[in-house]
């Protein structure tokens, strides 16, 4: 039997070999897919939400618009830190992500990225973010950045998330940390207003995340994660949503009393009232045995937080 060998297409001397017409586009698509997978590990939507709270906090701390260089450094450093925390979170949670319908298409359970590469990627992002903050802001901001990453991945993801129904509450400090980091980057210290804004985001996370956990209750149960909607009654979950919605709104109004103007206070009061109405509507539908539509409150809570911090930024400018 004769052996057939493929020979390269002849080319003029000195010219690169001719490639298949499909080879370059395929490689290009492969590169784009890999890049997209690594980007998705950073959970860009979460990064965007965290940055919504960071810049207004910086503006209030400065009493106007801070140096654009400082804002850029904090935005880049904060994005890298939040991305690093999310990547390491995906690495730790790869066992439960593969059994949850909501997460089974993430890069690790889908085997688009290897666990080792994801861990290295996350650690590199973390190191770069902390170095950037330490070099161009101050040690307090850099220390808070490091603490937020460690707390989110080692305390929340590795321990609290898997062991207690209060995981969302205790994990709330991570989501609220960017407020303190932004404030510290400007002033090198933390004031009552900074802590007040921190409390707003901290309390907000329960009425924001519990509706999402309600929607994916079966997913969390399948993975053995004791989210509150999995282990508690609907009445208990709704009671906590209403409690923390009220605490969120009252805390945001307390920040107004710390020296902000009606430019902040009036929009905060209006959207706070709508936020409370939506929380009570969710509880009412559940008590009557009607479809609860939890994602309505989930999406409105994001709108609420965006408007409150946009009002804070406008207050700082005016």
């Amino acid at each position: 039997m004769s052996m057939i060998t493929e020979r390269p297409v002849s080319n003029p001397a000195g010219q690169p070999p001719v490639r298949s017409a499909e080879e370059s586009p395929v490689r290009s698509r492969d590169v784009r897919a890999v890049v997209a997978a690594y980007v998705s590990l950073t959970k860009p939507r979460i990064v965007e939400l965290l940055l919504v709270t960071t810049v207004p906090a910086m503006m209030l701390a400065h009493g106007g618009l801070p140096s654009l260089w400082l804002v850029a450094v904090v935005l880049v450093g904060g994005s890298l830190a939040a991305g690093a925390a999310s990547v390491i979170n995906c690495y730790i949670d790869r066992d439960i992500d593969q059994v949850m319908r909501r997460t089974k298409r993430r890069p690790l359970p889908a085997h688009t990225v290897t666990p080792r590469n994801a861990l290295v990627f996350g650690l590199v992002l973390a190191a770069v973010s902390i170095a950037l903050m330490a070099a161009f802001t101050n040690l307090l901001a850099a220390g808070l950045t490091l603490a937020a990453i460690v707390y989110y991945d080692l305390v929340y993801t590795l321990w609290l998330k898997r062991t207690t129904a209060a995981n969302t509450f205790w994990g709330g400090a991570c989501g609220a940390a960017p407020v303190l980091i932004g404030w510290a980057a400007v002033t090198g210290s933390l004031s009552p207003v900074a802590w007040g804004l921190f409390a707003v985001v901290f309390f907000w996370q329960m009425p924001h995340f519990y509706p999402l956990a309600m929607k994916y209750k079966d997913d969390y149960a399948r993975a053995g994660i004791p989210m509150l909607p999995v282990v508690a009654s609907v009445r208990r979950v709704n009671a906590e949503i209403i409690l923390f919605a009220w605490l969120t709104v009252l805390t945001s109004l307390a920040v107004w009393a710390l020296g902000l103007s009606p430019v902040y206070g009036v929009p905060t009061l209006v959207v706070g009232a709508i936020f409370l109405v939506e929380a009570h509507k969710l509880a009412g539908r559940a008590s009557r045995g009607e479809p609860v539509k939890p994602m309505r409150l989930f999406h409105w809570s994001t709108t609420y937080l965006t408007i409150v911090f946009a009002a804070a930024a406008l207050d700082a400018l005016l």
Side-chain angles (χ1 to χ4, degrees):
M1 182 170 58
S2 63
M3 182 182 298
I4 300 176
T5 58
E6 292 184 358
R7 296 182 179 180
V9 178
S10 60
N11 296 290
Q15 295 298 316
V18 176
R19 292 177 178 174
S20 160
E22 295 182 357
E23 182 178 353
S24 182
V26 168
R27 288 184 178 180
S28 178
R29 286 197 296 271
D30 289 344
V31 170
R32 287 199 297 269
V34 171
V35 170
Y38 277 95
V39 170
S40 70
L41 284 173
T42 66
K43 301 180 183 178
R45 290 185 179 180
I46 294 178
V47 173
E48 291 173 8
L49 186 60
L50 297 178
L51 297 183
V52 162
T53 65
T54 304
V55 175
M58 294 180 70
M59 294 173 68
L60 280 177
H62 188 267
L65 187 63
S67 158
L68 293 181
W69 164 252
L70 181 61
V71 172
V73 167
V74 174
L75 288 181
V76 173
S79 297
L80 292 176
S86 293
V87 173
I88 298 171
N89 166 270
C90 287
Y91 170 80
I92 295 171
D93 276 352
R94 65 191 186 279
D95 59 330
I96 62 175
D97 281 350
Q98 64 185 357
V99 300
M100 294 177 62
R101 282 179 295 180
R102 184 172 66 92
T103 59
K104 67 181 181 180
R105 294 182 181 176
R106 286 177 177 174
L108 288 177
H111 305 293
T112 309
V113 177
T114 65
R116 179 182 179 278
N117 287 350
L119 179 60
V120 170
F121 180 51
L123 292 175
V124 169
L125 289 181
V128 172
S129 68
I130 296 164
L132 191 65
M133 297 296 285
F136 297 107
T137 62
N138 53 65
L139 292 181
L140 177 58
L144 289 170
T145 301
L146 172 61
I149 296 172
V150 171
Y151 188 92
Y152 180 71
D153 288 320
L154 300 186
V155 179
Y156 170 72
T157 303
L158 196 59
W159 176 37
L160 295 172
K161 182 176 180 179
R162 297 167 182 254
T163 59
T164 174
N167 49 28
T168 303
F169 177 84
W170 294 112
C174 308
V179 173
L180 300 183
I181 293 169
W183 194 285
V186 173
T187 66
S189 62
L190 298 172
S191 75
V193 175
W195 285 109
L197 293 173
F198 172 89
V200 171
V201 183
F202 178 85
F203 290 133
W204 166 85
Q205 288 177 90
M206 272 61 74
H208 172 70
F209 190 73
Y210 283 160
L212 184 68
M214 291 170 69
K215 178 177 176 61
Y216 295 104
K217 174 182 175 180
D218 293 341
D219 251 6
Y220 285 115
R222 188 181 304 111
I225 301 300
M227 291 297 180
L228 189 67
V230 174
V231 300
S233 66
V234 173
R235 181 188 295 272
R236 165 73 183 280
V237 175
N238 286 324
E240 291 210 15
I241 287 175
I242 290 174
L243 170 64
F244 287 111
W246 274 97
L247 286 173
T248 302
V249 173
L250 292 176
T251 303
S252 67
L253 295 177
V255 172
W256 183 10
L258 291 175
L260 278 70
S261 76
V263 171
Y264 165 84
V266 173
T268 296
L269 184 61
V270 172
V271 295
I274 299 173
F275 186 36
L276 291 174
V277 168
E278 289 296 332
H280 281 275
K281 280 184 177 180
L282 176 63
R285 286 191 295 267
S287 66
R288 294 189 297 270
E290 300 173 359
V292 291
K293 301 178 182 178
M295 297 305 288
R296 179 182 175 92
L297 179 60
F298 173 82
H299 291 303
W300 174 251
S301 65
T302 302
T303 302
Y304 164 82
L305 194 72
T306 302
I307 292 174
V308 167
F309 275 84
L314 187 59
D315 187 288
L317 288 176
L318 299 179

